[in-house]
């Protein structure tokens, strides 16, 4: 099976299913839900980082890449999970967090002891003569990107949390260590890898950001990044014919992604990019709200679809992940049209060219958390920004509103399995509160209702496996200036797909010129038919198919 037929399901292990009753999800919990995932029909599970970690950034601060965090289980549990998944034709994708390690990692601890070998694993710099930080760069989680170590009289770089020290990829020993880690997991039978912020690994130099911005121009898609990824590919996953990799690309460009994932580039199979998830950032700022700019969203989706196709490169397709608010609360409607808009967003995404990702809970239409108290938040970024926004003079009411829209914790609440205690997630109080709509929005209800969002996802996955045009068809944008409809065609030999999606809660009229021979493959309303002059109902979404 080509990787173009595959669909990935993302599990945030801490919030998926808790089998041992400590309020944290675990691997045994995942094993108990594999039949559910097999029913959905997915091919891969991507697990968010679940290695030994102090959990300052929920596992993205790795202290030991070769061990499962004991709170998730043991290596035996992992082996059993792989075996049980394989029985259900599900593969595993692990998250390689290679831009940085936790400061609790033994490499960093040795660096702190002034061991020259390990100091060279990280990026240490002297402060400037005037007692200033080495550069004016900002951490992605707020505050400066440099931390002073008095015993060394030097600063280390951390693009993320102060406990996430950036690795020095210029050092060949570091690159060898990281390839060895990938090979350690390959030997356990893992062939899928997601590489966390992998386009930040090559730093161009250490100067002040002249625009006093965050410094990203010095480390995004840096000068040696393609060389480093090619080398990692050659020394590890590239040796497996059936490897499947995806790089998470922060603030990247099309020109670079064509190289990261081009079919003949020997770098990665695909890329996650985020431009389409910034269309509601006012002035490009994450913590400034505005309604999403629909025409910009379409322009970006169309641009990336076409640009990647022309270069034979490959997108990972996603609306949701553990760092993003829930898509239905953001681009859909999580009250009156929850079901319709969830299905519409799913269809719009899954029929495009690329590998679709489903984030846990998306398939049952889970919503944002709408927490009302900072004590309910767990994410280091949200907690930092609560303070930062306060210092900037925003009112508490405004800050809560912003967090309700933007916090990463919106996606991190426990999976809602049933209407039982703690949503069937755990016997214990979970590590983060459950959303109180779990009584109605849960897996048990979804499985009982043949019109549920869950079965819509199941159909979309099945369609991808049946129709070559969904896997491999060319993408052709349509109605590009239409302010309410996202429409496109896919074309493969004599097969054609036509996909129309209404992104709003009002009717929309569209004119379609050539409708001959199209049949409905899927819709989120009863009685959808293709017409020259069509009225799409609120959030209506239809997939039409014809064979010439
Ligand atoms: O995220 C990278 C990243 O830059 C984000 O999406 C981040 O949440 C955003 O910029 C903050 O505004 C990856 C992981 O997915 C994320 O969970 C980690 O926290 C981060 O890397 C550091 O490892």
């Amino acid at each position: 099976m080509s990787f173009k037929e595959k669909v990935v399901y993302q599990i945030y292990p801490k919030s998926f299913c808790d089998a041992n009753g400590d309020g944290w999800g675990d691997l045994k919990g995942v094993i108990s839900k594999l039949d559910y995932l097999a029913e959905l029909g997915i091919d891969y599970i991507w697990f968010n980082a679940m290695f030994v970690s102090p959990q300052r950034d929920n596992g993205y601060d790795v202290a030991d890449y070769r061990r499962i965090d004991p709170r998730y289980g043991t290596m035996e549990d992992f082996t059993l999970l792989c075996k049980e998944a394989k029985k259900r034709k599900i593969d595993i994708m692990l998250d390689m967090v290679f831009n940085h390690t936790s400061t609790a990692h033994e490499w960093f601890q040795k660096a702190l002891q002034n061991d020259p070998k390990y100091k060279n694993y990280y990026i240490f710099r002297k402060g400037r003569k005037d007692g200033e930080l080495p550069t004016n760069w900002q951490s992605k989680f707020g505050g400066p990107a440099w931390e002073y170590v008095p015993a060394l009289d030097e600063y280390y770089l951390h693009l993320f949390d102060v406990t996430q020290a950036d690795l020095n990829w210029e050092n060949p020993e570091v690159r060898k260590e990281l390839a060895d880690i990938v090979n350690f997991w390959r030997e356990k039978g893992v062939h899928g890898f997601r590489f966390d912020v992998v386009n930040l690994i090559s730093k161009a130099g250490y100067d002040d950001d002249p625009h006093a911005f965050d410094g990203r121009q010095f480390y995004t898609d840096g000068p040696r990044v393609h060389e480093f990824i090619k080398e990692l590919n050659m020394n590890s996953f590239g040796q497996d014919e059936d490897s499947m990799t995806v790089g998470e690309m922060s603030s990247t460009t099309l020109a670079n992604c064509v190289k990261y994932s081009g079919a003949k580039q020997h770098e990665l199979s695909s890329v996650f990019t985020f431009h389409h998830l910034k269309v509601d950032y006012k002035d490009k700022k994450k913590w400034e709200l505005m309604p999403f700019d629909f025409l910009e969203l379409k322009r970006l989706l169309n641009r990336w679809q076409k640009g990647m196709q022309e270069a034979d490169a490959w997108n990972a397709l996603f609306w949701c992940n553990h760092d993003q608010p829930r898509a239905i609360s953001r681009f859909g409607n999580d009250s009156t049209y929850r079901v319709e808009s969830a299905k519409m967003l799913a269809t719009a995404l899954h029929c495009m060219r690329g590998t679709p990702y489903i984030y846990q809970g998306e398939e049952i239409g889970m919503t944002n958390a709408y927490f009302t108290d900072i004590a309910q938040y767990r994410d280091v970024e949200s907690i930092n920004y609560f303070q930062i926004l306060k210092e900037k003079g925003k009112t508490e009411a405004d800050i809560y509103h912003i967090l309700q829209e933007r916090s990463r914790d919106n996606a991190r609440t426990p999976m809602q399995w049933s209407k039982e205690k703690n949503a069937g997630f755990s016997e214990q109080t979970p590590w983060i509160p459950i959303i109180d709509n779990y009584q109605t929005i849960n897996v048990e209800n979804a499985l009982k209702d043949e019109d549920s969002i869950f079965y819509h996802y199941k159909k979309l996955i099945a369609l991808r496996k049946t129709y070559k045009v969904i896997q491999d068809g060319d993408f052709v944008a349509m109605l590009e200036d239409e302010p309410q409809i996202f429409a496109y065609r896919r074309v493969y030999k004599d097969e054609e797909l036509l996909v129309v999606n209404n992104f709003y809660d009002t009717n929309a009229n569209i004119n379609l010129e050539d409708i001959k021979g199209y049949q409905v493959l899927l819709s989120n309303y009863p009685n959808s038919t293709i017409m020259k002059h069509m009225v799409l109902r609120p959030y209506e979404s239809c997939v039409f198919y014809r064979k010439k």
Side-chain angles (χ1 to χ4, degrees), residues 214-468:
D214 55 11
R216 70 178 62 169
Q217 60 171 298
F218 291 96
Y219 54 75
T220 306
D221 301 320
R224 298 184 69 189
V225 65
H226 295 287
E227 172 198 335
F228 291 160
I229 296 178
K230 281 187 167 71
E231 183 189 282
L232 183 64
N233 172 315
M234 192 174 73
N235 293 335
S236 63
F237 60 84
Q239 296 164 11
D240 297 324
E241 263 189 23
D242 56 349
S243 77
M244 163 124 140
T245 53
V246 56
E248 188 204 24
M249 304 301 171
S250 174
S251 304
T252 187
T253 62
L254 184 55
N256 274 292
C257 285
V258 155
K259 293 193 192 161
Y260 291 130
S261 66
K264 296 190 182 69
Q265 296 289 330
H266 303 289
E267 294 192 22
L268 302 166
S269 327
S270 59
V271 287
F272 284 122
T273 63
F274 295 89
H275 302 80
H276 67 299
L277 297 178
K278 295 183 179 171
V279 295
D280 52 3
Y281 288 12
K282 194 172 164 204
D283 304 325
K284 301 205 158 82
K285 293 190 181 121
K286 173 165 178 171
W287 305 100
E288 298 283 345
L289 303 180
M290 72 169 192
F292 76 99
D293 179 343
F294 178 61
L295 285 174
E296 178 67 0
L297 175 67
K298 289 208 314 184
R299 199 184 64 73
L300 287 165
L301 293 174
N302 290 335
R303 175 166 189 267
W304 280 82
Q305 284 286 299
K306 280 190 268 183
M308 295 290 272
Q309 168 172 305
E310 277 159 18
D312 201 5
W314 200 248
N315 288 298
L317 306 170
F318 70 109
W319 291 124
C320 297
N321 70 24
H322 63 295
D323 294 330
Q324 298 290 329
R326 292 284 180 180
I328 49 168
S329 300
R330 185 176 187 185
F331 303 119
N333 174 316
D334 63 11
S335 51
T336 322
Y337 294 107
R338 190 181 67 87
V339 173
E340 290 82 356
S341 67
K343 290 179 182 174
M344 181 280 288
L345 288 167
T347 302
L349 191 90
H350 280 244
C351 294
M352 285 196 275
R353 179 180 178 279
T355 300
Y357 281 69
I358 302 169
Y359 178 65
Q360 66 180 49
E362 182 184 333
E363 78 281 14
I364 56 164
M366 278 178 63
T367 66
N368 274 353
Y370 300 113
F371 289 151
T372 51
D373 190 330
I374 190 65
Q376 293 168 298
Y377 287 93
R378 301 289 179 269
D379 176 23
V380 56
E381 184 195 46
S382 302
I383 294 166
N384 287 351
Y385 270 91
F386 187 76
Q387 276 314 322
I388 294 171
L389 296 174
K390 239 185 197 171
E391 282 153 24
K392 286 197 172 151
K394 292 227 188 281
T395 64
E396 276 212 357
D398 279 348
I399 300 173
Y400 277 120
H401 184 205
I402 294 171
L403 289 181
Q404 286 175 353
E405 298 288 329
R406 294 289 146 87
S407 169
R408 306 195 296 181
D409 281 337
N410 283 307
R412 298 178 178 185
T413 65
M415 181 72 180
Q416 295 169 194
W417 293 104
S418 71
K419 62 176 185 317
E420 302 306 318
K421 187 178 155 199
N422 297 325
F425 162 73
S426 173
E427 291 294 315
Q428 269 301 319
T429 306
W431 69 278
I432 187 171
I434 291 184
I435 308 181
D436 51 19
N437 59 24
Y438 74 92
Q439 300 269 349
T440 44
I441 303 174
N442 62 54
V443 168
E444 204 176 30
N445 283 348
L447 293 176
K448 278 194 300 220
D449 171 9
E450 60 178 29
D451 279 331
S452 69
I453 301 166
F454 176 89
Y455 289 113
H456 193 86
Y457 272 90
K458 182 173 171 166
K459 284 178 203 157
L460 282 165
I461 296 170
L463 288 178
R464 175 166 287 261
K465 304 212 176 306
T466 314
Y467 289 92
K468 208 59 191 153

Side-chain angles (χ1 to χ4, degrees), residues 57 60 100 141 160 164 194 196-197 248 286 322-323 381 408 412:
D57 185 25
Y60 285 82
H100 42 262
F141 294 157
F160 292 88
Q164 291 166 303
R194 177 232 189 219
D196 191 61
V197 290
E248 188 204 24
K286 173 165 178 171
H322 63 295
D323 294 330
E381 184 195 46
R408 306 195 296 181
R412 298 178 178 185

Side-chain angles (χ1 to χ4, degrees), residues 52-69:
V52 169
S53 158
Q55 301 288 331
R56 265 284 295 194
D57 185 25
N58 282 355
Y60 285 82
D61 45 331
V62 180
D64 185 345
Y65 292 95
R66 289 182 171 81
R67 277 172 55 218
I68 300 287
D69 193 305

